[in-house]
Amino acid sequence: MNKIHYREWGIESPRYWGLLAVLAAIVGVGGFATLYMEHEGHWVTGMTNQIVWGTPHVFAIFLIVAASGALNVASIGSVFGQKMYKPLARLSGLMAITLLVGGLIVLVLDLGQPSRLIVAMTTYNFKSIFAWNIYLYVGFMAIVAVYLFTMMERKANRFSHGVGVFAFVWRLALTTGTGSIFGFLVARQGYDAAIMAPMFIIMSFAYGLALYLLVLMFTFDSDERPLGDAVLRRLKNLLGVFVAAVFYFTVVYHLTNLYGTENHAFEAFILRDGGVYTWTFWIGWVLLGMLAPMGILFHPALGMQRGSIAIAALLVVLGGLSAIYVIVIGGQAFPLNMFPGHTIIESGYFDGVNGVARHYSPSLPEFLLGIGGFALALLVTFIGVRLLQFLPTSLADDVADTQQAK
Amino acid sequence: MSQPTNQQRRAFLAEVTGVAAATVVAPGVLLQSVANAAPRDTAVTDDVRYGMLIDTTKCADGCSDCVSACDKENGLDLMEKPEGASDELWEMQRPRWIRQVKLRNNLTGRVTSLPMMCQHCEKPPCVDVCPTGASFRRADGIVMVDRHTCIGCRYCMMACPYNARSFIHENVQLKTTATPRGKGCVESCNLCVQRRDNGGTTTACQDACKHGAIVFGDLKDPNSAVSQAMAKYPTVQIRADLQLNTGVRYTDV
């Protein structure tokens, strides 16, 4: 009998509390950075009236995108009936919520008026995708919480499939909403593309799974729970396929842009002349974020080693942050094309004189706020797995095989 | 002995109640009468649409009178660089409602100078994307920000095709009564809305332009100066491809 058993994360107390203390300290530093920025105003950040969304948005959007992707593991189990993924589902649901919380906190704390969050929750303009996103994000958390309940409460198990399907559809809508934040910006050369929504969905698959894999490997390894090759191989192959899909979307996005003359200047900026954005694109997004992980994950020898799988997942996360950086900051740094057929030769307010990009240097407080969001997501995840039965006691090959055979 | 005391207490209570009532009600009555006295007690209607024509042939290279006038009118000149801020960064962070731009035609090399500001679109992207509806368009065509409901998300700034909006990056020490502002909100040219609501017929930039390059008025009134000028000259919208039907038009771009 190989019934799946779940048990609270059982690492020794000093190690557990030590881990929480480190994460709480990072959250605290992020909190202080926020207080500083809110007290002084955004002038202490690198953000300006030209680069209005800075580093906090990069972290926030990454975490929000990864949150919906983290749920995929659960969806594959209950929506697509892959039995092997069933024992992995609870952690998947938990991370979907915690990553979203981490991302939203960063987003909200970077508002000019975070104390007016109540206004955002009560006054809506439904033509704004932001307003929709408030419902999509909050709804997502509620639905995934119910989904977790149906998975963890035996009497509610029979609803799990239905709720899982609903959660899956909802997460597709959510990431479409996040991608559409950029897709709907008609005025900017780098955005205004319908491909943004599906590209964000596929990015979420990859980034969410990469973070999931890292947390799974860490929690199992530290608690000496067996994590068999069968499960790991399945997950790492899936990650490889998702990264390949991100690669495909990246290629299509830029090729489509390159076809239209009106986007040539933007493409030249990102792909060739954009300095830090060009480097981040090629080294971060493409090389470290896609080619290197694919090379590792599909390599006959490297792809079998746990250490290299973890490195590949870490690279996907770094590549993801690079990708969002290029999209968010690079997209703003490229000057608005206000006068087609003309070159701006003088401007009283940074209109991209002679096509020069807008300036942005990330500041430390912004970075600390972003990292704080990451730490908060992990902190809540680790508290969750310690208090409740999210983790299966074993994912050894025989357990996984039995599940698969069911 | 007890009778007079009771009467005194009653009198005292009555007095206190009266004073309290006066304290609470009087300012309301006073404010009410002040509000009623102002011409802004009637709702703005779409019988008018305010707009502008910028005649770039008259806009002088190197002149920034409109910018200075706007700064003064709207208290932008009262904004001070925060202590410790770098000059370079502050220039990018300080609010600016109108700016001078000089363009060169890539084919012909012809150079044009013009002021850029909020174009007061009929279908403003900033209004579309604002999650709370703080970014709004008045019935008379003025696009502006409700500072009470702006949460400072800056999505409108991402959406504006004209780089027309500013975010208040610092604590505000001084401001004019007509243009209140606070840290963490977004703002932009509102066609001197305080003048509109108090019966004024011009904008600060228009008044300041000694070359007569800026004509402001009601686009719906065929006899207004701006309508007459627009009928006379060929005009263009900036980023006409976006079909936003801007309220600010330019000649000779």
Side-chain angles (χ1 to χ4, degrees):
Chain A
M1 180 65 192
N2 271 316
K3 192 176 182 308
I4 293 291
H5 293 282
Y6 296 88
R7 189 148 303 144
E8 294 85 352
W9 197 30
I11 63 166
E12 323 83 80
S13 275
R15 216 172 149 202
Y16 173 69
W17 287 107
L19 181 68
L20 288 201
V22 170
L23 290 172
I26 301 173
V27 172
V29 170
F32 277 116
T34 307
L35 283 177
Y36 173 61
M37 289 189 285
E38 290 305 330
H39 179 72
E40 292 287 340
H42 274 65
W43 72 268
V44 297
T45 72
M47 288 177 254
T48 61
N49 284 325
Q50 293 79 45
I51 308 286
V52 302
W53 286 352
T55 305
H57 283 79
V58 175
F59 280 95
I61 292 167
F62 177 83
L63 285 167
I64 290 168
V65 165
S68 55
L71 190 68
N72 261 14
V73 175
S75 301
I76 295 170
S78 53
V79 179
F80 300 104
Q82 294 286 317
K83 295 270 168 39
M84 192 196 220
Y85 288 83
K86 280 268 167 76
L88 304 167
R90 294 183 182 183
L91 178 64
S92 160
L94 175 68
M95 284 186 68
I97 294 180
T98 57
L99 290 172
L100 189 60
V101 167
L104 286 180
I105 288 270
V106 175
L107 200 65
V108 166
L109 291 179
D110 187 56
L111 290 176
Q113 295 276 354
S115 55
R116 289 188 186 169
L117 188 61
I118 192 71
V119 176
M121 308 288 276
T122 50
T123 318
Y124 291 105
N125 163 31
F126 284 111
K127 206 175 175 189
S128 167
I129 191 73
F130 257 20
W132 283 93
N133 280 346
I134 292 169
Y135 279 96
L136 287 170
Y137 294 161
V138 176
F140 181 75
M141 282 194 265
I143 292 162
V144 176
V146 173
Y147 186 25
L148 277 173
F149 177 77
T150 63
M151 287 193 270
M152 296 172 86
E153 167 57 52
R154 205 161 45 84
K155 286 178 194 157
N157 279 170
R158 59 202 171 99
F159 300 112
S160 186
H161 176 72
V163 178
V165 171
F166 188 50
F168 180 68
V169 173
W170 194 277
R171 59 88 52 221
L172 289 180
L174 183 148
T175 327
T176 303
T178 311
S180 300
I181 290 173
F182 299 97
F184 289 178
L185 291 173
V186 292
R188 291 185 189 257
Q189 226 64 38
Y191 309 142
D192 186 26
I195 197 173
M196 282 289 178
M199 187 162 84
F200 267 62
I201 289 179
I202 206 66
M203 282 173 158
S204 81
F205 285 10
Y207 308 157
L209 184 56
L211 284 173
Y212 178 86
L213 250 175
L214 288 168
V215 170
L216 183 76
M217 290 171 84
F218 172 70
T219 46
F220 268 63
D221 189 50
S222 55
D223 201 16
E224 290 171 3
R225 296 189 194 203
L227 178 59
D229 284 338
V231 169
L232 210 53
R233 201 181 309 130
R234 187 69 78 87
L235 288 176
K236 71 100 185 165
N237 281 339
L238 191 63
L239 181 61
V241 170
F242 287 163
V243 173
V246 175
F247 185 76
Y248 167 79
F249 269 87
T250 309
V251 170
V252 171
Y253 168 60
H254 286 288
L255 279 182
T256 327
N257 266 353
L258 281 168
Y259 194 80
T261 311
E262 63 165 334
N263 294 316
H264 283 180
F266 175 74
E267 286 301 318
F269 175 71
I270 295 293
L271 303 181
R272 194 186 62 205
D273 310 324
V276 66
Y277 306 106
T278 302
W279 284 105
T280 312
F281 175 78
W282 288 111
I283 305 290
W285 186 346
V286 176
L287 184 64
L288 294 179
M290 300 192 297
L291 297 181
M294 277 197 289
I296 293 170
L297 295 169
F298 292 130
H299 191 275
L302 287 175
M304 293 300 170
Q305 294 168 12
R306 285 164 192 240
S308 45
I309 293 174
I311 289 173
L314 207 57
L315 286 175
V316 173
V317 172
L318 286 177
L321 284 166
S322 305
I324 305 284
Y325 194 88
V326 172
I327 292 172
V328 174
I329 316 274
Q332 294 174 84
F334 183 72
L336 286 168
N337 185 19
M338 277 184 290
F339 303 98
H342 294 76
T343 303
I344 295 178
I345 50 175
E346 273 176 36
S347 164
Y349 208 48
F350 309 98
D351 286 302
V353 172
N354 297 316
V356 171
R358 282 118 157 238
H359 171 82
Y360 172 73
S361 321
S363 66
L364 185 63
E366 291 172 75
F367 179 75
L368 293 176
L369 169 59
I371 288 289
F374 245 107
L376 181 72
L378 289 176
L379 182 76
V380 182
T381 306
F382 291 140
I383 293 174
V385 294
R386 179 77 167 191
L387 293 180
L388 294 169
Q389 297 178 346
F390 282 104
L391 298 174
T393 48
S394 170
L395 285 169
D397 285 350
D398 57 333
V399 180
D401 287 346
T402 318
Q403 284 295 306
Q404 189 62 17
K406 271 186 189 172
Chain B
M1 193 62 191
S2 62
Q3 195 68 11
T5 311
N6 268 345
Q7 275 176 355
Q8 275 175 7
R9 188 186 288 164
R10 242 175 248 151
F12 172 73
L13 283 175
E15 217 165 88
V16 167
T17 312
V19 170
T23 314
V24 172
V25 177
V29 172
L30 190 68
L31 279 179
Q32 181 73 15
S33 59
V34 169
N36 286 339
R40 63 184 88 158
D41 63 344
T42 48
V44 172
T45 70
D46 62 359
D47 293 343
V48 296
R49 182 183 177 195
Y50 292 116
M52 261 185 188
L53 176 67
I54 312 286
D55 187 343
T56 64
T57 57
K58 293 180 182 166
C59 183
D61 183 15
C63 170
S64 59
D65 289 351
C66 56
V67 180
S68 313
C70 173
D71 282 359
K72 194 163 187 311
E73 171 82 17
N74 296 296
L76 295 164
D77 58 342
L78 301 173
M79 301 289 286
E80 285 180 2
K81 180 169 81 92
E83 214 179 308
S86 87
D87 291 333
E88 191 196 2
L89 200 56
W90 167 243
E91 282 306 314
M92 294 184 240
Q93 290 175 330
R94 66 181 304 165
R96 174 89 54 226
W97 288 13
I98 184 171
R99 62 194 189 272
Q100 280 298 124
V101 177
K102 198 152 104 178
L103 319 167
R104 188 181 55 229
N105 187 303
N106 291 341
L107 183 69
T108 63
R110 186 169 180 271
V111 172
T112 311
S113 287
L114 50 86
M116 273 300 292
M117 72 293 270
C118 172
Q119 303 287 297
H120 298 278
C121 313
E122 187 193 4
K123 301 192 182 303
C126 58
V127 172
D128 289 343
V129 302
C130 178
T132 65
S135 187
F136 71 107
R137 182 178 182 273
R138 294 189 358 156
D140 60 7
I142 295 176
V143 176
M144 56 188 290
V145 179
D146 178 346
R147 290 168 207 269
H148 297 289
T149 46
C150 173
I151 58 170
C153 73
R154 286 104 76 200
Y155 197 16
C156 57
M157 300 175 76
M158 291 289 281
C160 174
Y162 308 107
N163 193 24
R165 295 210 149 179
S166 295
F167 178 70
I168 301 303
H169 286 77
E170 63 285 324
N171 288 301
V172 179
Q173 309 296 345
L174 293 169
K175 53 195 153 190
T176 63
T177 45
T179 312
R181 63 166 51 86
K183 178 179 71 181
C185 285
V186 175
E187 56 182 47
S188 57
C189 160
N190 53 25
L191 293 176
C192 294
V193 70
Q194 64 277 12
R195 295 190 180 200
R196 303 292 73 72
D197 292 343
N198 290 312
T201 55
T202 61
T203 62
C205 54
Q206 176 192 19
D207 289 346
C209 184
K210 51 186 177 283
H211 309 286
I214 300 176
V215 186
F216 168 81
D218 177 9
L219 300 175
K220 285 189 173 172
D221 174 5
N223 298 316
S224 68
V226 68
S227 296
Q228 297 276 322
M230 280 202 195
K232 202 163 152 194
Y233 306 109
T235 64
V236 294
Q237 305 177 54
I238 309 294
R239 288 297 309 261
D241 59 313
L242 297 175
Q243 308 214 14
L244 303 174
N245 189 11
T246 56
V248 178
R249 304 290 174 109
Y250 292 79
T251 66
D252 246 18
V253 177

